[in-house]
Amino acid sequence: MIRVHLRQTAVAVVLLAGCTALAAAQALTQQQIEHRIDALLRQMTPQEKVGQLVQYNGDTPEAATQAKAGQVGSLLNVYGADRINELQRAAEQSRLKIPLIFGYDVIHGYRTIFPVPLGGAASWDPQLIEQSERVAAKEATAAGVKWTFAPMVDIARDPRWGRIVEGAGEDPYLGSVVAAARVRGFQGNDMADPQSLVACAKHFVGYGAAEGGRDYNTADMSEQTLREIYLPPFHAAVKAGVGTLMSAFEDLNGVPTSGNPHTLTEILRKEWHFDGFVVSDYDSIHELVPHGFAADDEQAALEALTAGVEMDMADGVYAKWLPQLVKSGKLPMSVLDEAVRRVLRVKFRAGLFQHPYYTNAERERTEILTPQNREVARRLGAESLVLLKNQNDILPLPRSGKKIAVIGPLADDQANQLGSWVGRGQAADVITPLQGIEAKVPQGTVLHARGVDISSLDKQEISGATGAAPAPVGATGAAATQHEAGPATIEGAVRVAQQADAVVLFLGEPGGMSGEASSRAFLNLPGQQEQLLESIEATGKPVVLVLESGRPLDIRWAAEHVPAIVQAWYPGTEAGNAIADVLFGDVDPSGRLPLSWPRSVGQIPVYYDHKNTGRPSSNDRWHTGYLDESKEPLFPFGYGLSYSTFRYSNLRVLTPQITPAGMLRVSAEVQNTGRQTATEVVQFYIHERVGPTSRPVRELKGFERITLRPGENRTVEFSKSAQVLGSYDPQMHFVVPSGTYDVWVAPNAAAAGVTGTVQVAPK
Ligand code: NOJ
């Protein structure tokens, strides 16, 4: 085996030119990797073993010394090719020359920022999602990062929970498809490729079920819900070859997930045969103590490692306690060895032993924020937009002859287009919506006013209890744009709107209002935005509302009064261009909601695959629902309009009788009945009529994006293993019961679409 430890940047440049080939040429077999690990384990002292399980945060003055002493296996939040190579050289000087692995939260891009993950999921386009993560991987590895703490694959059904923005929404099937796409994108065909990142599916598991939507809070659910709703995206990530997982902060059914043998050992290791490693979430091993699960850090270390958390993020608990736990005999050496083996296995698979210097200053200079990378961000940004309403075809906007007023606090704000977790994304790189619109109408007149500000995260402003102090109007924008004079006021914005033929209003949340520790009790537009909206609407001008947020907001008033509404999430670096592409019709809106959009907070959780109950809808009072609110969401899961229309017909169940071992095949015709080429997301749902447990009214089991010319008719076929009809019985056996199943091919979870039935007979 040749070990390539490059010391000189010049040499590195030459060799890196062929490094993909290098990775392939030197790929180690699994057996070779295990032999190498055996050899290392034989040489390692207990301290060196523990060192591999320790991850420290940040670029500290001690980092190089710790690396040389073999006291650390990984660092997080360190980046920059030169610095990373310097630290890697320090690790190379350690007794056993075990390389470090550098982790970072590359959540939706490294420097070129893509739509927030929830927005990416709204594209329902796994190929493009994968491509975006490939770009993220190239950029991050160029800057020395080799491991991303993504994808977050937590199912989330409560938009009060700020981290809903980081996942793929409410559905286990869509969540699984997106999880696998992201893993493939990050890791490529080979984690050892210098342009590949090791992925980390997080947060294992149930973190999104936090009670009350309060971050870090307890989750309590049945084993059936765990297995049918929360685990599938993790399983999909594991099947896609994800290198690592992260345990979560919360306690699940009474046992904190960072010390939970049921999920970490029984399910992950034994049932799924996962052989990579699990890293704790930040401090979450120590937090077993405040959870009341461990008496002190010593016990926390023992519980976490024994349960199956191999690497300790940031809190130093393993570094401090594992050596003496081994010495005292409380921790068997075999448990420690297994953990070290898993960490080393991932380091081998990531190619770190073969080419620890996978980047250099040249890569960092040339591979980041390239026009090609930005182009992928623009495409995914446009595909992530969901057209919620378009009365009288007010959209797309005309390109000429009209004065457009671009109003709102987010219209010309760069930083807030990025959302939360922005990696190394820079506000200065961002195209704002105002700039994007200006570029579409070079001859036209664009007017601009902010109206109100939402810059602070002050609690009163969030709840809308008091107004923010007026701030000066922003000065960006092209010369053609006329800016409102003076401070941002609702009156000033109204005056600007009155001069225009149409208004595009950019409202929502500041990017930092979703993400970690960003739970909300109310889902209103923060600050004075609702007043701004109502005042602008009162001008009588046609209004297009573009919402930018990391969660669905309470937009009941807007849904009733505003003719056009687009949900834009946070599209990222190319936000303005992506939004303008859709507003002006260069791209047909093809985003679809990855969650049910609640009408009001009181409905939460509201999700499409609920149970029927014994008292479903009825005209009398005695059924499931509310006295004072509909139980239906404002917009259903899977919903989104296009600039065209589609007709569904001719559903055919090609396999009307199947056994659990068979294939289920269903087709339907979809026709573009509008006047322009457009993309539809055709969705396939099932429902088991009678089973050993009550079943959801519908479950998504497939989807396909199709682009059709006007008048074009296409037959879309879904071919699935009959196992997709299965579920867990009360004894937690996975079964595909005999009986009748409904199937639908439909444009969203609430639409009738076209429907039929299939019979499952015993083998
Ligand atoms: C805590 C977050 O929960 C997790 O998602 C993240 O990866 C780590 N911090 C590291 O930043």
Side-chain angles (χ1 to χ4, degrees), residues 610-618 621-626 631:
H610 60 82
K611 305 290 183 69
N612 202 36
T613 80
R615 294 188 173 193
S617 59
S618 117
R621 177 176 179 165
W622 313 103
H623 68 274
T624 180
Y626 304 101
K631 71 177 171 34

Side-chain angles (χ1 to χ4, degrees), residues 271-529:
E271 290 183 29
W272 296 355
H273 309 293
F274 173 71
D275 68 357
F277 73 85
V278 175
V279 62
S280 63
D281 202 345
Y282 203 106
D283 255 1
S284 69
I285 297 179
H286 161 71
E287 287 172 18
L288 297 180
V289 179
H291 268 298
F293 186 71
D296 49 29
D297 280 352
E298 179 180 5
Q299 193 195 344
L302 187 60
E303 297 285 356
L305 190 72
T306 327
V309 175
E310 284 88 17
M311 188 179 280
D312 177 2
M313 182 187 282
D315 61 22
V317 169
Y318 278 2
K320 178 147 184 221
W321 293 103
L322 290 187
Q324 56 200 79
L325 280 165
V326 174
K327 211 170 183 178
S328 67
K330 285 189 197 160
L331 177 69
M333 188 62 90
S334 59
V335 175
L336 181 63
D337 282 355
E338 175 60 21
V340 176
R341 175 177 296 282
R342 286 166 173 266
V343 170
L344 293 179
R345 190 180 282 143
V346 171
K347 288 186 173 183
F348 274 108
R349 286 179 181 162
L352 288 167
F353 285 86
Q354 294 149 287
H355 35 88
Y357 305 100
Y358 41 86
T359 189
N360 54 52
E362 173 67 7
R363 264 198 77 189
E364 192 171 22
R365 198 176 58 72
T366 57
E367 293 182 22
I368 291 177
L369 202 71
T370 63
Q372 295 86 334
N373 295 358
R374 295 190 72 128
E375 184 53 32
V376 179
R378 181 173 183 160
R379 280 174 40 218
L380 187 58
E383 283 196 5
S384 72
L385 265 55
V386 184
L387 179 61
L388 296 175
K389 187 176 174 190
N390 193 19
Q391 208 172 297
N392 306 325
D393 290 341
I394 178 172
L395 287 173
L397 294 170
R399 268 165 210 274
S400 59
K402 300 277 185 231
K403 263 191 204 169
I404 300 173
V406 179
I407 293 178
L410 293 165
D412 198 29
D413 180 309
Q414 289 183 296
N416 281 313
Q417 306 304 321
L418 300 175
S420 65
W421 290 118
V422 300
R424 301 300 298 152
Q426 308 289 313
D429 301 336
V430 171
I431 307 289
T432 68
L434 176 63
Q435 292 167 334
I437 290 172
E438 286 169 344
K440 293 287 181 191
V441 288
Q443 314 303 333
T445 307
V446 177
L447 311 172
H448 170 55
R450 285 213 309 283
V452 298
D453 282 300
I454 51 162
S455 51
S456 115
L457 289 179
D458 174 81
K459 281 216 166 119
Q460 285 186 320
E461 190 188 336
I462 293 172
S463 70
T466 62
V473 171
T476 50
T481 300
Q482 297 166 17
H483 292 268
E484 160 202 22
T489 62
I490 293 179
E491 299 71 38
V494 165
R495 278 195 298 276
V496 168
Q498 278 159 346
Q499 295 162 44
D501 299 306
V503 180
V504 188
L505 197 48
F506 287 87
L507 304 180
E509 295 178 323
M513 202 180 273
S514 51
E516 190 176 347
S518 302
S519 297
R520 293 186 66 191
F522 302 98
L523 297 179
N524 58 309
L525 283 162
Q528 302 296 297
Q529 295 183 94

Side-chain angles (χ1 to χ4, degrees), residues 118 159 164 523 549-554 567 569 595-598:
L118 187 60
I164 195 170
L523 297 179
S549 62
R551 50 161 70 85
L553 295 174
D554 181 341
Q567 173 64 24
W569 320 103
L595 40 70
S596 306
W597 190 293

Side-chain angles (χ1 to χ4, degrees), residues 55 57 76-77 103-107 148-150 152 154 163 166 200 202-203 207 215-216 246-249 279-283 313-314 421 516:
Q55 180 184 60
N57 178 38
L76 86 142
N77 292 327
Y104 192 54
D105 289 285
V106 183
I107 305 296
T148 176
F149 304 122
M152 189 195 98
D154 295 313
R163 303 200 80 168
E166 293 177 49
C200 180
K202 69 187 189 186
H203 306 81
Y207 182 41
D215 206 2
Y216 316 122
M246 186 185 290
S247 64
F249 286 125
V279 62
S280 63
D281 202 345
Y282 203 106
D283 255 1
M313 182 187 282
W421 290 118
E516 190 176 347

